[in-house]
Amino acid sequence: MLLAIDCGNTNTVFSIWDGSEFIATWRTATEWQRTADQYYVWLSTLMKLQKIEAEITDVIVSSTVPRVVFNLRVLADRYFNTRPYVVGKPDCQLPVDVRVDEGTAVGPDRLVNTVAGYDIYGGDLIIVDFGTATTFDVADADGAYVGGVIAPGVNLSLEALHNAAAALPHVDISKPQSVVGTNTVACMQSGVFWGYIGLVREICARIKAERDREMRVIATGGLAPLFQQAEALFDAYQDDLTMHGLTVIHKYNKDLAE
């Protein structure tokens, strides 16, 4: 079975793929100091608790935190006796082209999302990912990654407000009852909620106008359903888009190796 690992700036997700579906998914905080032994103790304990007797034969990793990759490689080698595929490394090929400025390093998660989006929906996509940053990635008609947009993440914006202004509290993002807030928390929630509605709508509209074609907007990330409540911003939502992309990339590389 395949162990797919998506390491983001905030959280790292481990999922076990049996060839047709994910049979288990776990999430932990991303900490570059965590050793391969610690990863294994944590992972094996969760597998036992859920009575999962899966034999891991393959590992694939996507990581936006380079310092984490070494210990994940050791985890795969020491405990699963396999050399992992690491997205972005020369020995891990992508089933789509990457057409950006020479020398540009594209985040592995953005490439994986593009692969997944193209596999599920075809080309001419805008993929909006609500993570630590809010990213917009553009897939061409043939699925090629052709660039995108990076904006501050929703929670990052709220933290910045709280940290930079002594009088402003920490608040959770939610849909406000009205645009005009009548207290500090409601004012902050309205600014962030409706501000991001406008940000997503405007950026997607400008991408479509610049490319002069119809494009589908696909969302991923936990906050996407919240924003979809207010406005029809997205054509589809995929919670496990990145994980699906990792399975596609893994299969593509295994087929190349045969």
Side-chain angles (χ1 to χ4, degrees):
M1 293 190 184
L2 171 67
L3 175 62
I5 306 173
D6 172 32
C7 178
N9 291 297
T10 305
N11 293 313
T12 300
V13 180
F14 291 71
S15 290
I16 298 177
W17 173 257
D18 69 358
S20 59
E21 65 179 353
F22 289 109
I23 62 173
T25 296
W26 303 284
R27 185 180 301 267
T28 185
T30 298
E31 297 176 355
W32 67 264
Q33 303 97 327
R34 187 169 295 169
T35 67
D37 301 328
Q38 289 174 311
Y39 277 121
Y40 181 72
V41 169
W42 172 81
L43 185 62
S44 60
T45 300
L46 288 172
M47 291 175 67
K48 288 178 182 177
L49 285 173
Q50 293 187 225
K51 295 181 172 57
I52 296 173
E53 299 179 356
E55 181 182 354
I56 305 299
T57 58
D58 296 89
V59 178
I60 185 167
V61 177
S62 168
S63 178
T64 59
V65 186
R67 298 178 76 177
V68 172
V69 174
F70 174 78
N71 283 321
L72 292 176
R73 282 186 180 272
V74 174
L75 170 71
D77 178 63
R78 180 179 298 168
Y79 291 105
F80 304 123
N81 194 31
T82 185
R83 179 182 175 87
Y85 290 109
V86 179
V87 179
K89 300 299 182 183
D91 59 345
C92 183
Q93 302 297 311
L94 298 177
V96 300
D97 290 335
V98 180
R99 296 198 282 264
V100 295
D101 294 343
E102 187 175 351
T104 300
V106 180
D109 56 328
R110 304 177 73 182
L111 298 176
V112 174
N113 284 348
T114 301
V115 169
Y118 181 63
D119 182 69
I120 298 172
Y121 300 101
D124 287 327
L125 301 177
I126 302 170
I127 300 169
V128 185
D129 188 354
F130 292 89
T132 303
T134 300
T135 58
F136 300 75
D137 297 308
V138 179
D140 210 343
D142 62 353
Y145 178 85
V146 293
V149 177
I150 301 175
V154 178
N155 289 318
L156 194 63
S157 295
L158 283 169
E159 285 295 327
L161 276 175
H162 171 65
N163 292 333
L168 296 181
H170 176 78
V171 300
D172 293 325
I173 182 65
S174 64
K175 182 184 177 182
Q177 293 183 347
S178 61
V179 176
V180 178
T182 55
N183 58 69
T184 302
V185 170
C187 289
M188 293 174 65
Q189 288 177 332
S190 182
V192 172
F193 183 85
W194 293 110
Y196 271 85
I197 292 282
L199 180 144
V200 171
R201 184 192 295 113
E202 182 68 13
I203 288 179
C204 289
R206 287 183 176 272
I207 290 173
K208 292 176 182 179
E210 185 171 279
R211 296 186 64 76
D212 193 24
R213 66 185 73 177
E214 285 297 315
M215 303 184 74
R216 280 177 290 184
V217 181
I218 312 302
T220 189
L223 289 175
L226 172 65
F227 292 107
Q228 187 76 338
Q229 287 178 14
E231 301 285 333
L233 295 175
F234 317 117
D235 296 301
Y237 168 70
Q238 286 285 334
D239 181 46
D240 59 352
L241 190 69
T242 305
M243 284 301 171
H244 178 79
L246 286 174
T247 67
V248 174
I249 294 171
H250 174 262
K251 184 179 185 304
Y252 180 74
N253 281 272
K254 293 293 282 188
D255 290 345
L256 287 178
E258 293 178 355

